[in-house]
């Protein structure tokens, strides 16, 4: 049994917007959400910029008590999921919630909680220093758990924790659940809130973050002067449904998901090999029944790090060629770790809906050897029928999603 799988809703929390309209307007305009770190005094870390969520509309869905029972990453997940559910129009009147599942991702989970409780246990001891709710606030699966609690989704339920590939993996896993008949609809995405002293210091000491102080020059994917990634945060959530289920309830179909490639480099814990990325792209295209020449746009992983883009550009060139438009929207919303693949999936759906290839913001001079068709200067109106969104994570994880324009057929 196989089903076609379509997208009927999405929600987003990000540095460039907390609603679909705001997110798209800033994406199209190439307006970056990167700025000085305000969550804490970051001077001692040597890092000065991040892509923080701004003016999070907490009151739309939450009360004060929710902030005590959910870490920030869970709040972001629930917010994006409820917006996505509202857009999709799924209710218990038109959907069997026993067959509505939820798969959410997070690379780290409640890192702020781990930092605070680690400090407090040293200062106050284990009995007074560790909060009773520390564990359920911090563990990474609670994005899934809290989304299910708030939406009532009682079907397939699990969490993806595959570093920066996790958001894309969650959507790919949800796609397969519906395709093979285990669910009628799925809530899928990722959430992260790791812009804290521990998170920034950890990646900074790994020499993964840029020390650039100018927000406009901090994240410049594929540029010869790129110097590291910019930490982001937020959440992206898609509502996936079988085509039959969506049509039966008269849903507004936004796009179709047609392929998913999932591999591991089995090479190095932080440095990609490129082979795994190539294989993931091939697998996504194979499942989509598409040829490399069919790809019109690629939302690249594009972290603004040398190791990633040397291998990613070669992978795109070797498998797809150099015709498809390529951009990394991380230059706008930052690298949101386990949420980033889900936020980029939203951006890719927007590219299909609006027939527009977003700009690779900030990049002015491509590094040598990068022959791929990077969108420079400004975004471009484009005929986009098939688009890929790809993400790669520490541990060698590779995830590629293939999305198709919905034509009603």
């Amino acid at each position: 049994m196989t089903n076609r799988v379509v997208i009927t809703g999405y929600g987003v929390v990000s540095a460039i917007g907390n609603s679909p309209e705001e997110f798209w307007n800033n994406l199209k305009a190439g307006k970056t959400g990167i700025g000085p770190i305000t969550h804490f005094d970051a001077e001692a870390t040597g890092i000065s910029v991040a892509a923080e969520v701004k003016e999070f509309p907490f009151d739309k869905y939450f009360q004060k008590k929710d902030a005590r029972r959910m870490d920030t990453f869970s709040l972001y997940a629930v917010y994006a999921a409820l917006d996505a559910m509202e857009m999709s129009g799924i209710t218990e009147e038109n959907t069997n919630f026993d067959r509505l599942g939820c798969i959410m991702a997070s690379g780290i989970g409640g890192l702020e909680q781990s930092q605070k409780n680690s400090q407090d246990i040293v200062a106050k001891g284990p009995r007074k220093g560790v909060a009773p709710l520390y564990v359920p606030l911090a563990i990474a699966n609670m994005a899934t758990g809290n989304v299910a609690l708030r939406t009532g989704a009682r079907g397939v339920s699990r969490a993806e924790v595959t570093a920066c590939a996790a958001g894309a993996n969650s959507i790919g896993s949800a796609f397969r659940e519906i395709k093979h008949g285990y669910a009628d609809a799925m809530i899928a995405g990722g959430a992260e809130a790791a812009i804290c002293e521990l998170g920034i210091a950890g990646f900074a000491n790994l020499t993964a973050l840029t020390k650039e102080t100018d927000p406009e020059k901090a994240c410049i994917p594929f540029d010869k002067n790129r110097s590291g990634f910019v930490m982001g945060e937020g959440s992206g959530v898609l509502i996936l449904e079988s085509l039959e289920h969506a049509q039966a309830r008269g849903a507004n179909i936004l796009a179709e998901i047609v392929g998913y490639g999932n591999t591991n480099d089995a090479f190095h814990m932080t440095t990609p090999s490129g082979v795994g990325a190539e294989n993931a792209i091939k697998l996504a295209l194979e499942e989509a029944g598409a040829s490399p020449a069919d790809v019109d746009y690629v939302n690249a992983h594009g972290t603004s790090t040398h190791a990633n883009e040397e291998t990613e550009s070669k992978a795109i060139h070797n498998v797809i060629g150099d015709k498809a438009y390529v951009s990394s929207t991380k230059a706008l919303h930052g690298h949101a770790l386990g949420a980033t693949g889900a936020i980029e999936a939203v951006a890719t759906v927007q590219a299909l809906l609006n027939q527009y290839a977003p700009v690779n913001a900030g990049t002015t001079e491509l590094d040598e050897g990068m022959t791929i068709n990077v969108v420079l200067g400004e975004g471009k109106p484009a005929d986009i029928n098939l688009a890929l969104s790809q993400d790669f994570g520490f541990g060698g994880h590779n995830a590629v999603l293939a999305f198709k324009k919905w034509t009603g057929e």
Side-chain angles (χ1 to χ4, degrees), residues 271-320:
T271 303
S273 71
V275 176
E278 289 187 24
N279 289 339
I281 295 170
K282 291 175 182 176
L283 288 170
L285 291 176
E286 181 181 352
E287 186 169 21
S291 70
D294 293 328
V295 180
D296 302 304
Y297 171 67
V298 178
N299 189 302
H301 186 51
T303 56
S304 195
T305 59
H306 284 274
N308 171 79
E309 281 139 21
E310 287 174 6
T311 55
E312 184 175 19
S313 62
K314 288 178 182 177
I316 294 170
H317 171 84
N318 291 344
V319 179
I320 299 172

Side-chain angles (χ1 to χ4, degrees), residues 142-324:
M142 288 307 292
T144 299
N146 282 308
V147 168
L149 283 167
R150 286 298 295 265
T151 62
R154 298 186 295 270
V156 174
S157 180
R158 62 178 180 273
E160 295 277 355
V161 186
T162 48
C164 307
N169 280 143
S170 72
I171 294 168
S173 295
F175 160 64
R176 295 273 175 80
E177 294 290 343
I178 297 171
K179 179 178 179 178
H180 297 298
Y182 298 106
D184 295 329
M186 294 290 297
I187 305 165
E192 205 79 78
I195 303 177
C196 61
E197 192 170 15
L198 185 59
I200 295 295
F203 282 102
N205 292 348
L206 189 62
T207 68
L209 297 181
T210 182
K211 294 183 178 180
E212 175 63 59
T213 59
D214 184 347
E216 298 292 337
K217 298 179 181 178
C219 186
I220 48 174
F222 305 105
D223 194 291
K224 73 173 187 176
N225 295 313
R226 66 197 186 280
S227 58
F229 80 80
V230 173
M231 183 82 84
E233 61 180 351
S235 178
V237 173
L238 299 182
I239 303 299
L240 309 183
E241 298 184 58
S242 71
L243 175 59
E244 181 180 13
H245 185 270
Q247 289 180 328
R249 68 180 190 84
N252 179 36
I253 296 172
L254 306 175
E256 184 173 6
I257 179 168
V258 291
Y260 170 47
N262 180 15
T263 66
N264 196 289
D265 290 338
F267 175 70
H268 189 274
M269 71 170 72
T270 59
T271 303
S273 71
V275 176
E278 289 187 24
N279 289 339
I281 295 170
K282 291 175 182 176
L283 288 170
L285 291 176
E286 181 181 352
E287 186 169 21
S291 70
D294 293 328
V295 180
D296 302 304
Y297 171 67
V298 178
N299 189 302
H301 186 51
T303 56
S304 195
T305 59
H306 284 274
N308 171 79
E309 281 139 21
E310 287 174 6
T311 55
E312 184 175 19
S313 62
K314 288 178 182 177
I316 294 170
H317 171 84
N318 291 344
V319 179
I320 299 172
D322 304 324
K323 175 184 75 72

